Amino acid sequence: MTKENLTTNEEKLAQTLFAAYSEQKPLQMTDYSDVLSNDESAYRVQSYLTSLKQEPIGGYKVSLTSAETQALFAADAPLYGAQISSHFVESPHTFLRTELMDPLAEVELMFTAKEDLSSADSPAELLEKTTVAPAIEVPDSRFSDWFPSLPKHLVMADAAVGGYVVYGKEQDSSTVFATPDDVAAVHCQLFHNDKRLKDGAATEVLDNPLNSLHWLVAKLEEQGRGLTSGQRVSSGTFLLPENLTVGNWRAEFDSGLSDVSLDVK
């Protein structure tokens, strides 16, 4: 996306978001709530914001993958955010609190394309063409006090409030899951400093995280893009997010998936 494709207001918002991202200085959402009026405009801002980061796209995150989270943001469909390569990090990982602005913790499955994916791929073909890893996603926003009141189009513009994705052991998806239905059977538990906070289920992610992956591939194709070999997808949270506070965070998964952990200091 070049700035020639943007309106003046869209370009200005993208540059403002980039400044907030670079300087770690949060914005007030009320100052920007009427800048964007539709999804197309919001995705244009996101695309230009991503280009300003001057780093390859490492993959994407999919948000609003449950009826509950869609209701929070007055949406009727998922949305995605492009994520730069350096913001996908292996578990265990340590963050300094100063690296983050207003972060949350979500628990997800991360898929990585072993070859280019297509909207024509069946669920079984998506299993064959990907690896899978457990993940703790760390959504973070350039707007202060953003969850759950940030307008949907500002969420989209802000790379779907993309922060980091911390992922565990990667395995071939078709080795972990004998059938696509097995992906929907995954459960997890989220802990903070060894205190169990929540349980989560893969069925919260469009009934099956493979549905989320397919939605993203189709959406990118609709926009003239694609999900290419090597790109990663954080496919949607199993549970409502928690505020990511100082301490140790751990997610435990069943179905032969590893644990994931991170520390905030």
Side-chain angles (χ1 to χ4, degrees):
M1 174 68 67
T2 62
K3 63 182 181 181
E4 287 77 16
N5 301 111
L6 277 71
T7 67
T8 300
N9 284 341
E10 289 169 353
E11 180 185 348
K12 183 177 179 180
L13 178 57
Q15 291 172 339
T16 300
L17 286 166
F18 180 68
Y21 163 83
S22 302
E23 299 167 10
Q24 296 283 284
K25 293 182 178 178
L27 307 171
Q28 297 299 312
M29 68 179 79
T30 53
D31 294 338
Y32 303 92
S33 57
D34 60 352
V35 174
L36 302 171
S37 60
N38 57 65
D39 291 4
E40 292 74 20
S41 179
Y43 277 130
R44 285 195 296 270
V45 173
Q46 181 191 132
S47 182
Y48 187 46
L49 170 63
T50 303
S51 71
L52 292 174
K53 295 175 183 176
Q54 296 187 319
E55 186 176 330
I57 294 174
Y60 298 86
K61 60 163 291 185
V62 185
S63 296
L64 309 191
T65 50
S66 71
E68 191 170 14
T69 54
Q70 286 178 12
L72 286 174
F73 291 90
D76 58 6
L79 57 87
Y80 76 81
Q83 305 296 291
I84 55 177
S85 296
S86 63
H87 283 217
F88 289 93
V89 295
E90 291 188 60
S91 168
H93 186 80
T94 298
F95 293 103
L96 297 178
R97 186 61 186 83
T98 52
E99 294 179 81
L100 306 167
M101 296 179 68
D102 192 3
L104 303 179
E106 298 181 341
V107 184
E108 320 217 348
L109 290 183
M110 185 191 79
F111 297 96
T112 302
K114 297 191 291 185
E115 57 187 275
D116 295 355
L117 302 185
S118 165
S119 61
D121 290 334
S122 68
E125 288 170 326
L126 290 175
L127 283 183
E128 290 292 336
K129 292 183 176 183
T130 60
T131 65
V132 66
I136 298 176
E137 188 196 329
V138 180
D140 201 6
S141 179
R142 274 35 70 183
F143 297 94
S144 60
D145 301 320
W146 65 275
F147 184 82
S149 55
L150 187 64
K152 183 189 78 167
H153 291 133
L154 290 181
V155 172
M156 297 168 77
D158 190 22
V161 292
Y164 289 84
V165 178
V166 181
Y167 61 91
K169 181 182 178 181
E170 295 185 87
Q171 305 177 71
D172 285 339
S173 300
S174 57
T175 299
V176 177
F177 304 114
T179 71
D181 288 344
D182 292 338
V183 183
V186 179
H187 295 85
C188 71
Q189 297 177 342
L190 179 64
F191 297 82
H192 178 235
N193 292 335
D194 293 324
K195 178 183 178 182
R196 181 173 162 188
L197 300 181
K198 286 181 177 177
D199 292 5
T203 50
E204 289 296 308
V205 185
L206 298 181
D207 297 324
N208 185 320
L210 287 176
N211 294 334
S212 173
L213 177 61
H214 184 271
W215 174 88
L216 175 64
V217 173
K219 187 67 176 179
L220 292 173
E221 286 183 5
E222 178 187 307
Q223 297 176 338
R225 308 180 185 189
L227 190 73
T228 58
S229 178
Q231 289 186 326
R232 307 181 187 279
V233 177
S234 189
S235 57
T237 185
F238 286 25
L239 44 78
L240 280 178
E242 291 283 322
N243 290 315
L244 188 79
T245 53
V246 170
N248 175 259
W249 291 81
R250 185 178 81 258
E252 296 182 354
F253 290 76
D254 58 15
S255 302
L257 296 161
S258 71
D259 295 349
V260 183
S261 68
L262 64 89
D263 289 284
V264 182
K265 294 184 176 181

